[in-house]
Amino acid sequence: MSDINTSNTWETVNRVVFPVKDAELTLPLYVTAWTPSYLQASVLDARTDMQTLNFSGMNRTEFQQIVAEAAKKAQSSNAQLPISSNILSRYAIALNPHDHLSLCTFFNAFPAAYWKRWTHVKQVRLTVNVTGTGTLTVFKSTGRGLYNPVSTISVNTANNSELQHIETVIPLTNLMDGGYIWFDAENTSNTDTFTIESAQWQVPSAEKTVRPQQSKSQSTVSVAITTFNRPSYCLSLLKDIAAADELRTRLDTIYCVDQGTDHVSEQPDFESTARQLGSQLTYLRQSNFGGSGGYSRGMFETVEAGKSDYVLLHDDDAITEPEAILRAVQFADYTTRPTLVGGGMFHLDNRTVLYTQGERLDRHTIWMKPSLGLEYNHDFAMRPLRDSPERHQRIDADFNGWWMCLIPVRVIKEIGLSLPVFIKFDDTEYCIRAREHGFPTVCMPGVAVWHQAWHDKDPARTWEEYFFQRNRWIFALLHCPKPTNRMIFEMLYGDLNVGLRFLYSAMALRHQGIKDILKGPDYIVSSMPSKLAEVRKERAAFEDAQTSNDLDTFPEPITEFVSPTNHPQARSQNTKNGVRSIVRSLLGSVDASHAQAPDVAIPAKDAFWSSFSGINSALVTTPDGNSVSWLKRNDTTFRRNMIEGLQLARKFHHEFDTLAKRYRAYNLASFDVWRSIFSGEREHNER
């Protein structure tokens, strides 16, 4: 530690925080009970994971023993979690006698590897105020998930009211592949509490790279929120930001872009919240241009105002951790080059489950996948960060979802705004475009929101399928060097996926998306204000788009549905079954449009293609569980649509180079394009 510079001026970039509301739902993300470390064999030698398990050699008792031990461990860990009443405030927690807690958690472990990789910072300082008798032990992990103590501090204040200030500096070494720094706390007293407050992670301010605009002492951010008929969610978000005093010292304004008909401004508490925010709230109304239009408006206004160094995009229906916004700004201040700082997404209905902390775009399939092959939906309540060595890797990413993403204004000035594509793929495309200009995206641990997960959504059952299909291939035209046969395969595979589920409206919308791309970028821009209405109208003409919230509207199913998941099969067998279903539909002549009763009723969770194998019609619950549709097989329609899909895919492939030149030359995301869209909106309103 000889290279440590003790003469630095330090700036706090991560404060240790605790939940003051919904603590029962989120506590494992902030603090966990200390448990003995469990060292997995693969952490010591990764080669152990190169061998498959011989499940056929395992008997039932051995399997049940493994499950029982895992359940016992989880139950024991959960039973030791600190109760929320021990949280004294946003920044303080009390440990009862013999309590032993760990701050190796998503929101409170310092993401040292990210600071090592993306900044010039070489050391970090921990400062803590404590009272009572106890021990603080600072740990540092590596990308393998191995960790060891780097500092142990014993505390014994003269009496419980005496405050002791502790500081320790840790060099950012051995962090190339990953690693965190955190501290555990133990109360060694038999009778008194041990209190921790105002714990902060600080870095040398001399390493800061951002020069704030207008000779300000520190950088500032504007927040762009786009909302459509979710006024209560949006107002709740505004209230959370209004109550975050530290964040507001760095806030210029919130651009609340209301694109709905149920306005946020008409909510009962809006006026008082607006008064509390004052000039830090800019409320705007415009027609519904989707997420891309709402966020582009916030980005556009931020650049035009010329006050902010950053704009942070934030979904209206997401619950924010205000500290996360501040952390994103403070990290961006130190990056070696302008960097987009994204946040993870936790499930709104399962608050400890992390959907993703970083994703890659597969250029072969033009589809997303989790970084490093890490699984989606990691539950930190069941597998805390301390016991998840794979999560200690530095997780690099290609893009970050726009549930939360910080973008430097300098980047916006250079590469433009979002594509005018309404919704879907706009966030992915923007980050890839930024990367191609030398501006990376970092999905930062400790930065996240809670957002509604995707398990109650299926774009193929809605008008969204049009935008998914169209925008995916607009992305390909803008960022793929040449057409590939895989593109044709992906288009046909998508058609098969919805067609085998009798979703002929989705097939039609997918084809319309390709047809519209072929019309050129002028059409994409000019049709944006009216496209949603056109897509809704086209979809409404199909029987599979008709729903009812009353099951008695339909006849009783003939037989009870048995899920394919009850009889799992080898992948090769599933492939064979899929081929049979495709051949049957392509060569068949079944038309179930006049069926007297559905064959089965399929729950939303089982509405994948294999559930429709061997049946001609089914009642299928919508993903949100609010209604049901009667989906019916029509082999002639399926066959006709597949032929049309093949023709469109081949045409797209054939015209790819010409189309790519047109789309790239048009500069879809330019300020001029969006200025014309917004000015057209103003002219429409004036009329």
Side-chain angles (χ1 to χ4, degrees), residues 621-637:
T621 310
T622 55
D624 59 12
N626 286 326
S627 56
V628 66
S629 300
W630 189 356
L631 306 184
K632 302 174 182 179
R633 179 188 296 275
N634 190 316
D635 291 337
T636 301
T637 299

PDB file of all heavy atoms in Angstrom, residues 621-637:
ATOM      1  N   THR A 621     -55.288 -17.595 -22.573  1.00  0.00           N
ATOM      2  CA  THR A 621     -55.313 -16.427 -21.697  1.00  0.00           C
ATOM      3  C   THR A 621     -54.292 -15.398 -22.161  1.00  0.00           C
ATOM      4  O   THR A 621     -53.187 -15.751 -22.596  1.00  0.00           O
ATOM      5  CB  THR A 621     -54.984 -16.834 -20.251  1.00  0.00           C
ATOM      6  OG1 THR A 621     -55.801 -17.939 -19.877  1.00  0.00           O
ATOM      7  CG2 THR A 621     -55.218 -15.678 -19.288  1.00  0.00           C
ATOM      8  N   THR A 622     -54.648 -14.122 -22.083  1.00  0.00           N
ATOM      9  CA  THR A 622     -53.690 -13.069 -22.419  1.00  0.00           C
ATOM     10  C   THR A 622     -52.612 -13.005 -21.337  1.00  0.00           C
ATOM     11  O   THR A 622     -52.854 -13.384 -20.186  1.00  0.00           O
ATOM     12  CB  THR A 622     -54.388 -11.707 -22.537  1.00  0.00           C
ATOM     13  OG1 THR A 622     -55.100 -11.444 -21.322  1.00  0.00           O
ATOM     14  CG2 THR A 622     -55.370 -11.698 -23.702  1.00  0.00           C
ATOM     15  N   PRO A 623     -51.412 -12.543 -21.661  1.00  0.00           N
ATOM     16  CA  PRO A 623     -50.309 -12.555 -20.691  1.00  0.00           C
ATOM     17  C   PRO A 623     -50.604 -11.799 -19.400  1.00  0.00           C
ATOM     18  O   PRO A 623     -50.078 -12.161 -18.345  1.00  0.00           O
ATOM     19  CB  PRO A 623     -49.162 -11.896 -21.467  1.00  0.00           C
ATOM     20  CG  PRO A 623     -49.470 -12.170 -22.895  1.00  0.00           C
ATOM     21  CD  PRO A 623     -50.962 -12.113 -22.995  1.00  0.00           C
ATOM     22  N   ASP A 624     -51.427 -10.754 -19.472  1.00  0.00           N
ATOM     23  CA  ASP A 624     -51.725  -9.992 -18.258  1.00  0.00           C
ATOM     24  C   ASP A 624     -52.792 -10.654 -17.398  1.00  0.00           C
ATOM     25  O   ASP A 624     -53.097 -10.178 -16.304  1.00  0.00           O
ATOM     26  CB  ASP A 624     -52.133  -8.560 -18.600  1.00  0.00           C
ATOM     27  CG  ASP A 624     -53.368  -8.495 -19.498  1.00  0.00           C
ATOM     28  OD1 ASP A 624     -54.050  -9.528 -19.691  1.00  0.00           O
ATOM     29  OD2 ASP A 624     -53.650  -7.399 -20.025  1.00  0.00           O
ATOM     30  N   GLY A 625     -53.381 -11.764 -17.894  1.00  0.00           N
ATOM     31  CA  GLY A 625     -54.375 -12.491 -17.111  1.00  0.00           C
ATOM     32  C   GLY A 625     -55.734 -11.838 -17.040  1.00  0.00           C
ATOM     33  O   GLY A 625     -56.593 -12.268 -16.257  1.00  0.00           O
ATOM     34  N   ASN A 626     -55.981 -10.816 -17.847  1.00  0.00           N
ATOM     35  CA  ASN A 626     -57.245 -10.082 -17.778  1.00  0.00           C
ATOM     36  C   ASN A 626     -58.313 -10.614 -18.718  1.00  0.00           C
ATOM     37  O   ASN A 626     -59.493 -10.332 -18.531  1.00  0.00           O
ATOM     38  CB  ASN A 626     -57.011  -8.597 -18.088  1.00  0.00           C
ATOM     39  CG  ASN A 626     -56.347  -7.874 -16.947  1.00  0.00           C
ATOM     40  OD1 ASN A 626     -56.585  -8.197 -15.789  1.00  0.00           O
ATOM     41  ND2 ASN A 626     -55.501  -6.912 -17.265  1.00  0.00           N
ATOM     42  N   SER A 627     -57.921 -11.341 -19.752  1.00  0.00           N
ATOM     43  CA  SER A 627     -58.905 -11.759 -20.743  1.00  0.00           C
ATOM     44  C   SER A 627     -58.431 -13.019 -21.457  1.00  0.00           C
ATOM     45  O   SER A 627     -57.365 -13.565 -21.145  1.00  0.00           O
ATOM     46  CB  SER A 627     -59.159 -10.625 -21.754  1.00  0.00           C
ATOM     47  OG  SER A 627     -57.952 -10.211 -22.361  1.00  0.00           O
ATOM     48  N   VAL A 628     -59.223 -13.473 -22.414  1.00  0.00           N
ATOM     49  CA  VAL A 628     -58.920 -14.699 -23.127  1.00  0.00           C
ATOM     50  C   VAL A 628     -59.330 -14.555 -24.581  1.00  0.00           C
ATOM     51  O   VAL A 628     -60.258 -13.798 -24.905  1.00  0.00           O
ATOM     52  CB  VAL A 628     -59.644 -15.902 -22.465  1.00  0.00           C
ATOM     53  CG1 VAL A 628     -61.145 -15.787 -22.614  1.00  0.00           C
ATOM     54  CG2 VAL A 628     -59.137 -17.225 -23.017  1.00  0.00           C
ATOM     55  N   SER A 629     -58.608 -15.237 -25.471  1.00  0.00           N
ATOM     56  CA  SER A 629     -58.933 -15.244 -26.902  1.00  0.00           C
ATOM     57  C   SER A 629     -59.175 -16.685 -27.348  1.00  0.00           C
ATOM     58  O   SER A 629     -58.614 -17.628 -26.783  1.00  0.00           O
ATOM     59  CB  SER A 629     -57.782 -14.648 -27.724  1.00  0.00           C
ATOM     60  OG  SER A 629     -57.503 -13.323 -27.362  1.00  0.00           O
ATOM     61  N   TRP A 630     -59.994 -16.832 -28.375  1.00  0.00           N
ATOM     62  CA  TRP A 630     -60.200 -18.146 -28.979  1.00  0.00           C
ATOM     63  C   TRP A 630     -59.386 -18.178 -30.266  1.00  0.00           C
ATOM     64  O   TRP A 630     -59.743 -17.567 -31.273  1.00  0.00           O
ATOM     65  CB  TRP A 630     -61.684 -18.361 -29.263  1.00  0.00           C
ATOM     66  CG  TRP A 630     -62.021 -19.771 -29.677  1.00  0.00           C
ATOM     67  CD1 TRP A 630     -61.147 -20.790 -29.880  1.00  0.00           C
ATOM     68  CD2 TRP A 630     -63.325 -20.305 -29.928  1.00  0.00           C
ATOM     69  NE1 TRP A 630     -61.798 -21.935 -30.240  1.00  0.00           N
ATOM     70  CE2 TRP A 630     -63.154 -21.673 -30.277  1.00  0.00           C
ATOM     71  CE3 TRP A 630     -64.611 -19.773 -29.905  1.00  0.00           C
ATOM     72  CZ2 TRP A 630     -64.240 -22.494 -30.594  1.00  0.00           C
ATOM     73  CZ3 TRP A 630     -65.683 -20.599 -30.211  1.00  0.00           C
ATOM     74  CH2 TRP A 630     -65.501 -21.943 -30.549  1.00  0.00           C
ATOM     75  N   LEU A 631     -58.257 -18.862 -30.215  1.00  0.00           N
ATOM     76  CA  LEU A 631     -57.358 -18.942 -31.355  1.00  0.00           C
ATOM     77  C   LEU A 631     -57.664 -20.200 -32.161  1.00  0.00           C
ATOM     78  O   LEU A 631     -57.814 -21.288 -31.592  1.00  0.00           O
ATOM     79  CB  LEU A 631     -55.893 -18.963 -30.882  1.00  0.00           C
ATOM     80  CG  LEU A 631     -55.463 -17.820 -29.955  1.00  0.00           C
ATOM     81  CD1 LEU A 631     -53.968 -17.912 -29.660  1.00  0.00           C
ATOM     82  CD2 LEU A 631     -55.816 -16.473 -30.542  1.00  0.00           C
ATOM     83  N   LYS A 632     -57.719 -20.047 -33.494  1.00  0.00           N
ATOM     84  CA  LYS A 632     -58.172 -21.137 -34.362  1.00  0.00           C
ATOM     85  C   LYS A 632     -57.185 -21.363 -35.507  1.00  0.00           C
ATOM     86  O   LYS A 632     -56.692 -20.415 -36.119  1.00  0.00           O
ATOM     87  CB  LYS A 632     -59.554 -20.809 -34.923  1.00  0.00           C
ATOM     88  CG  LYS A 632     -60.611 -20.577 -33.837  1.00  0.00           C
ATOM     89  CD  LYS A 632     -61.932 -20.100 -34.412  1.00  0.00           C
ATOM     90  CE  LYS A 632     -62.951 -19.822 -33.315  1.00  0.00           C
ATOM     91  NZ  LYS A 632     -64.242 -19.329 -33.860  1.00  0.00           N
ATOM     92  N   ARG A 633     -56.965 -22.627 -35.794  1.00  0.00           N
ATOM     93  CA  ARG A 633     -56.063 -23.014 -36.866  1.00  0.00           C
ATOM     94  C   ARG A 633     -56.677 -22.729 -38.235  1.00  0.00           C
ATOM     95  O   ARG A 633     -57.869 -22.983 -38.469  1.00  0.00           O
ATOM     96  CB  ARG A 633     -55.735 -24.499 -36.764  1.00  0.00           C
ATOM     97  CG  ARG A 633     -54.813 -25.018 -37.871  1.00  0.00           C
ATOM     98  CD  ARG A 633     -54.682 -26.539 -37.808  1.00  0.00           C
ATOM     99  NE  ARG A 633     -54.036 -26.952 -36.574  1.00  0.00           N
ATOM    100  CZ  ARG A 633     -52.721 -27.009 -36.377  1.00  0.00           C
ATOM    101  NH1 ARG A 633     -51.910 -26.637 -37.365  1.00  0.00           N
ATOM    102  NH2 ARG A 633     -52.224 -27.413 -35.227  1.00  0.00           N
ATOM    103  N   ASN A 634     -55.842 -22.207 -39.140  1.00  0.00           N
ATOM    104  CA  ASN A 634     -56.233 -22.066 -40.538  1.00  0.00           C
ATOM    105  C   ASN A 634     -54.980 -22.319 -41.370  1.00  0.00           C
ATOM    106  O   ASN A 634     -54.151 -21.428 -41.559  1.00  0.00           O
ATOM    107  CB  ASN A 634     -56.808 -20.678 -40.829  1.00  0.00           C
ATOM    108  CG  ASN A 634     -57.432 -20.583 -42.213  1.00  0.00           C
ATOM    109  OD1 ASN A 634     -56.851 -21.061 -43.187  1.00  0.00           O
ATOM    110  ND2 ASN A 634     -58.596 -19.965 -42.297  1.00  0.00           N
ATOM    111  N   ASP A 635     -54.837 -23.552 -41.847  1.00  0.00           N
ATOM    112  CA  ASP A 635     -53.620 -23.943 -42.552  1.00  0.00           C
ATOM    113  C   ASP A 635     -53.414 -23.157 -43.840  1.00  0.00           C
ATOM    114  O   ASP A 635     -52.278 -22.870 -44.232  1.00  0.00           O
ATOM    115  CB  ASP A 635     -53.656 -25.442 -42.853  1.00  0.00           C
ATOM    116  CG  ASP A 635     -53.524 -26.284 -41.589  1.00  0.00           C
ATOM    117  OD1 ASP A 635     -52.979 -25.770 -40.597  1.00  0.00           O
ATOM    118  OD2 ASP A 635     -53.976 -27.447 -41.586  1.00  0.00           O
ATOM    119  N   THR A 636     -54.512 -22.817 -44.498  1.00  0.00           N
ATOM    120  CA  THR A 636     -54.388 -22.048 -45.744  1.00  0.00           C
ATOM    121  C   THR A 636     -53.796 -20.668 -45.468  1.00  0.00           C
ATOM    122  O   THR A 636     -52.905 -20.198 -46.192  1.00  0.00           O
ATOM    123  CB  THR A 636     -55.757 -21.904 -46.424  1.00  0.00           C
ATOM    124  OG1 THR A 636     -56.279 -23.206 -46.702  1.00  0.00           O
ATOM    125  CG2 THR A 636     -55.641 -21.118 -47.712  1.00  0.00           C
ATOM    126  N   THR A 637     -54.280 -20.018 -44.423  1.00  0.00           N
ATOM    127  CA  THR A 637     -53.748 -18.700 -44.040  1.00  0.00           C
ATOM    128  C   THR A 637     -52.281 -18.812 -43.637  1.00  0.00           C
ATOM    129  O   THR A 637     -51.451 -17.979 -44.016  1.00  0.00           O
ATOM    130  CB  THR A 637     -54.564 -18.113 -42.881  1.00  0.00           C
ATOM    131  OG1 THR A 637     -55.917 -17.943 -43.295  1.00  0.00           O
ATOM    132  CG2 THR A 637     -54.002 -16.767 -42.438  1.00  0.00           C
TER     133      THR A 637
END
